[in-house]
Each structure stands twice: as structure tokens, then as C-alpha cells.
């Protein structure tokens, strides 16, 4: 089968524009599954060949939608919105090819599995704290799942934890303290490292880096300390956008090593391993050491910065290479080599 026999499909949100633009640039057909309320946005872009409209994001798993994806011989690209609205069981049950390794998405969603994969990859990892009684020093308290940082707070002892957990419960963001995950707070500079691993070429590529612009935590520094103290402000890490980062060149070697180690470990723990795009998320501490606090086992929205390529992809490719286009290139390569099974699950 040739390139035009396949369609690259995704859900209308997160990084859909970049994904489908990249697919079109590589000569593939494109399909967007889109909620009705978002149609007017996506209709503006002529690189989207076909739009399948649904009432709700979760309808992507409906027979009607899966039927359309099958008819068009689609490869579905998972992203943050897909995994925010579907649980691991639902994703694993989708009966059409999903780009990358869908089994590893469960390891992203489950905090314990996530911690295990990071630790066994020999990354320096921000410690998780089992009980509020063990909080000593600064901690960040997170909601489970891809919450996009909403509702996260800082605690420094049991009392500060309980007070803020109660606030979230009052706001109906959690049902109780059991919905919270406590992690050691790492002081330094947050950075999100975007990688792509090809099971065909067996090469890892660093495609870019970003930091997030988060509300309201990134606004706190605009208020003098006196007002911060007296106003009793509530904080949150709600992602509003992304800011590009170019790493010091001396940090690049260890970035590649971390990516490689993560890929190698994932081959043993979650076969066939971390194929396709992924992101290591952490903080460079004051010694310049990267302490990982999370990973995403799929494309991250920070790659939207590099629709025209990044300072790293430009070193490898003589043409603009976004993460979306890199994914489409892998699909093309797999079609040529008759290896679609290797890049999908
Ligand atoms: P997503 O699922 O969209 O990737 P998330 O909900 O998992 O996001 P995180 O990436 O875990 O959220 O964290 C949100 C923000 O909180 C980060 O951008 C970073 O600023 C901060 N953060 C998270 N963990 C730590 C940590 N251990 N130490 C310091 N800051 C942290």
C-alpha cells in the first residue's frame, strides 16, 4: 500500500493543527475528529482534508467514529486531550492502529507505574511522599492524571497540606485527600525535553525544549512580597502557553543519555517500548542536574512552538521538521518498508 492509502487522524485539540499540518507536508491524507463547538476553529485550515464531527470528545470511541477511522485506514495520533478524556482501558480497547505504544500510556496515567519507569531508567527523580505525615520541607501536591497543573499547590507540613486539600474538596476538584499525590518540590529551572525515538532507524532525536507559562504561579513574581504575604493568594499551575528554551550546549549530552536510558528501560518494562514522541519533564537544579518529575509518553503541546522546526531539528534536517511532521515521516517510512505494525499498536 502507498502513502495515499493511509490517513493521519487525531482529535481536535492540544496539538492537532501541528500534527495535521505535518502530515499534509509529508503528503498524507488528514482527518480530524472534532467536537461541534470547535468546528469553526478547525475549518479555517486547508491542510485538514476531512472533519468528522462529534458531540463530545468521548465519542471518539463510539462505533460510528471508529467505523469512519477504519474506513479511511487511519492511524490515530494520541495527545494530551485524548488521554485526559479517555481512561487507559478505553484507549487500549480502541480497535484501530494508534501511533506509538498505547500500552505505555497507562504508565503515564498511573503515578506509581510512572515513578517506577523513571526510577528504573536511572533518571534522577523527584521523590514521591507516601503520607502527609511524612512531609518535611517544600512539596508540590498534584491531582492524578493529566490535569494540566490545575489545582496543584505547595505544602510544607501536614497542616498546610490539609488546609489546601480542604479547599480543593470544597471546590469539588477532588473527593478527598486520597486523590492527591505528594512529591518533593525541586527548586531550579523547569524544562520539558521533547524526544522522538524511531523503532525503524533505532535512533533517538532531541526535537526541542520548552518551559510552560503557568497561571497564576508565573504571575506571583509581579506582586511585591508584602502583598503576597498579606493577600493569602491561592496558587495554581494552569498551563496557558509554552516558552522556547535552548539548552546550554554542555547539557545536551546528558539530555540524550537520559532519553536513551528511558527508551531502553521501557523496552523491558512495557514492550515494545517508548516508540515515537515523548517528553522528559523536570527541573535543572542549582548544580545543573536534571531532576525528573514527570514524563509524557506521547507528543506534548510544547512542541507546538516548533511548527517550523527547532534549533535541534534544524541540525539534523535541511527542512522545517516539527514533531508532527516527524511523526508523519515515520508513517511514510513504515509504509515504504512495510513496517506499519512496528510503529503502531
Ligand atoms: P501534564 O499532564 O499536562 O504534563 P501535569 O498535570 O502532569 O501536566 P506537571 O507537569 O506534573 O503537571 O506539573 C505542572 C507544573 O508544576 C510544572 O510545569 C512545574 O512548573 C511544576 N512542577 C511539577 N512537579 C514539580 C516538582 N517536583 N518540583 C518543582 N516544580 C514542579
Amino acid at each position: 500500500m502507498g502513502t495515499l492509502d493511509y490517513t493521519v487522524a487525531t482529535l481536535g485539540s492540544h496539538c492537532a493543527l501541528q500534527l495535521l499540518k505535518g502530515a499534509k507536508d509529508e503528503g498524507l491524507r488528514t482527518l480530524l475528529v472534532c467536537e461541534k463547538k470547535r468546528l469553526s476553529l478547525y475549518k479555517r485550515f486547508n491542510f485538514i482534508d476531512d472533519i468528522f464531527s462529534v458531540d463530545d470528545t468521548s465519542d471518539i470511541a463510539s462505533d460510528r467514529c471508529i467505523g469512519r477511522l477504519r474506513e479511511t485506514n487511519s492511524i490515530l495520533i494520541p495527545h494530551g486531550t485524548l488521554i485526559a478524556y479517555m481512561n487507559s482501558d478505553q484507549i487500549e480497547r480502541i480497535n484501530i492502529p494508534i501511533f506509538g505504544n498505547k500500552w505505555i500510556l497507562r504508565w503515564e496515567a498511573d503515578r506509581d507505574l510512572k515513578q517506577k519507569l523513571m526510577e528504573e531508567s536511572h533518571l534522577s527523580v523527584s521523590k514521591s511522599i507516601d503520607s502527609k505525615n511524612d512531609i518535611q520541607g517544600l512539596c508540590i501536591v498534584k491531582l492524578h492524571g493529566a490535569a494540566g497543573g490545575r489545582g496543584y499547590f505547595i505544602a510544607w507540613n501536614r497542616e498546610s497540606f490539609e488546609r489546601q486539600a480542604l479547599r480543593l474538596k470544597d471546590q469539588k476538584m477532588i473527593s478527598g485527600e486520597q486523590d492527591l499525590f505528594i512529591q518533593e518540590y525541586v527548586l531550579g529551572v523547569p524544562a520539558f525535553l521533547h524526544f522522538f525515538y524511531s523503532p525503524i532507524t533505532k535512533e533517538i532525536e532531541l526535537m526541542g525544549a520548552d518551559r510552560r507559562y503557568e497561571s497564576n504561579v508565573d504571575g506571583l513574581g509581579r506582586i511585591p512580597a508584602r502583598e503576597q504575604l498579606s493577600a493569602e493568594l491561592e496558587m495554581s499551575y494552569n498551563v496557558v502557553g509554552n516558552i522556547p528554551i535552548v539548552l546550554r550546549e554542555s547539557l545536551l549530552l546528558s539530555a540524550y543519555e537520559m532519553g536513551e536510558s528511558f527508551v531502553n528501560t521501557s523496552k523491558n518494562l512495557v514492550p515494545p517500548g517508548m516508540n515515537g514522541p515523548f517528553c522528559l519533564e523536570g527541573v535543572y537544579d542549582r548544580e545543573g542536574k536534571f531532576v525528573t518529575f514527570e514524563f509524557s509518553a506521547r507528543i506534548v503541546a510544547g512542541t507546538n512552538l516548533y511548527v517550523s522546526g527547532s534549533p535541534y531539528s534544524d541540525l539534523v534536517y535541511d527542512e522545517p521538521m516539527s514533531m508532527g511532521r516527524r511523526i508523519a515521516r515515520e508513517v511514510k517510512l513504515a509504509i515504504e518498508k512495510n513496517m506499519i505494525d512496528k510503529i503502531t499498536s
Side-chain angles (χ1 to χ4, degrees):
M1 291 220 284
T3 310
L4 281 175
D5 295 312
Y6 284 91
T7 301
V8 168
T10 199
L11 185 61
S13 184
H14 195 264
C15 57
L17 292 171
Q18 184 215 144
L19 283 171
L20 299 189
K21 171 76 168 69
K24 191 78 287 174
D25 287 345
E26 288 296 299
L28 290 153
R29 276 185 307 162
T30 57
L31 167 68
L32 186 78
V33 178
C34 186
E35 280 179 293
K36 289 205 174 95
K37 64 179 183 202
R38 295 177 193 235
L39 279 175
S40 64
L41 168 67
Y42 288 101
K43 277 188 171 160
R44 293 169 193 267
F45 303 97
N46 63 9
F47 51 82
I48 305 177
D49 294 326
D50 193 5
I51 298 186
F52 183 78
S53 83
V54 290
D55 291 328
D56 187 80
T57 315
S58 60
D59 291 343
I60 192 165
S62 68
D63 290 347
R64 213 170 58 89
C65 185
I66 296 291
R68 179 62 162 271
L69 290 167
R70 237 194 242 120
E71 250 165 51
T72 48
N73 209 18
S74 286
I75 295 175
L76 180 66
I77 318 289
H79 55 50
T81 306
L82 186 87
I83 66 165
Y85 287 97
M86 292 177 82
N87 63 36
S88 303
D89 289 336
Q90 290 170 314
I91 293 172
E92 286 166 9
R93 274 202 304 270
I94 293 186
N95 198 8
I96 50 152
I98 294 190
F99 189 81
N101 176 1
K102 67 180 174 188
W103 313 104
I104 203 169
L105 297 173
R106 182 180 287 278
W107 289 62
E108 174 182 339
D110 181 307
R111 294 270 180 205
D112 296 328
L113 292 176
K114 181 176 242 175
Q115 205 77 6
K116 179 176 158 85
L117 183 48
M118 293 192 294
E119 282 169 11
E120 296 208 6
S121 300
H122 305 294
L123 304 176
S124 170
V125 179
S126 164
K127 287 192 200 65
S128 60
I129 293 160
D130 292 336
S131 153
K132 61 184 178 184
N133 301 318
D134 299 335
I135 298 177
Q136 289 171 337
L138 230 44
C139 291
I140 181 161
V141 182
K142 305 181 179 188
L143 277 62
H144 284 282
R150 274 182 62 241
Y152 291 15
F153 63 84
I154 301 282
W156 50 96
N157 55 22
R158 183 186 158 131
E159 188 277 323
S160 62
F161 171 89
E162 284 175 344
R163 182 166 39 79
Q164 296 180 87
L166 192 63
R167 170 175 59 83
L168 290 187
K169 194 167 172 222
D170 288 346
Q171 292 170 356
K172 305 221 174 337
M173 288 185 71
I174 56 169
S175 54
E177 289 181 1
Q178 71 282 358
D179 294 343
L180 296 171
F181 170 79
I182 313 171
Q183 195 178 49
E184 171 192 59
Y185 187 88
V186 187
L187 196 58
V189 175
F192 291 65
L193 312 179
H194 319 153
F195 295 96
F196 185 93
Y197 176 73
S198 165
I200 300 179
T201 65
K202 303 207 168 19
E203 298 260 352
I204 190 157
E205 296 163 43
L206 177 66
M207 298 292 288
D210 76 291
R211 61 156 293 189
R212 293 178 177 180
Y213 207 28
E214 296 164 324
S215 188
N216 60 8
V217 70
D218 285 318
L220 290 181
R222 297 166 64 110
I223 298 172
R226 193 187 51 210
E227 280 73 10
Q228 287 186 25
L229 287 173
S230 53
E232 288 186 26
L233 303 170
E234 287 172 4
M235 64 196 298
S236 178
Y237 289 77
N238 195 9
V239 184
V240 174
N242 303 80
I243 302 171
I245 295 185
V246 177
L247 297 172
R248 253 175 97 155
E249 195 154 317
S250 59
L251 296 174
L252 285 181
L253 176 61
S254 71
Y256 278 101
E257 285 172 349
M258 289 188 291
E260 267 163 0
S261 176
F262 187 77
V263 166
N264 291 336
T265 305
S266 66
K267 282 183 183 162
N268 293 328
L269 292 184
V270 211
M274 185 60 263
N275 295 338
F278 68 99
C279 180
L280 296 183
E281 312 177 355
V283 170
Y284 280 102
D285 71 8
R286 61 185 184 172
E287 266 85 46
K289 186 176 77 178
F290 190 76
V291 183
T292 317
F293 57 72
E294 288 267 351
F295 68 81
S296 294
R298 35 82 196 173
I299 186 169
V300 288
T303 60
N304 286 342
L305 284 165
Y306 304 117
V307 175
S308 320
S310 79
Y312 301 108
S313 68
D314 283 353
L315 298 173
V316 178
Y317 297 95
D318 291 327
E319 59 201 322
M321 187 57 68
S322 67
M323 188 66 95
R325 188 167 182 181
R326 181 63 191 84
I327 291 170
R329 175 115 352 148
E330 188 80 348
V331 172
K332 255 173 69 176
L333 194 63
I335 295 169
E336 278 161 27
K337 292 182 177 289
N338 208 5
M339 290 172 90
I340 284 290
D341 287 355
K342 192 124 188 132
I343 61 152
T344 57
S345 51

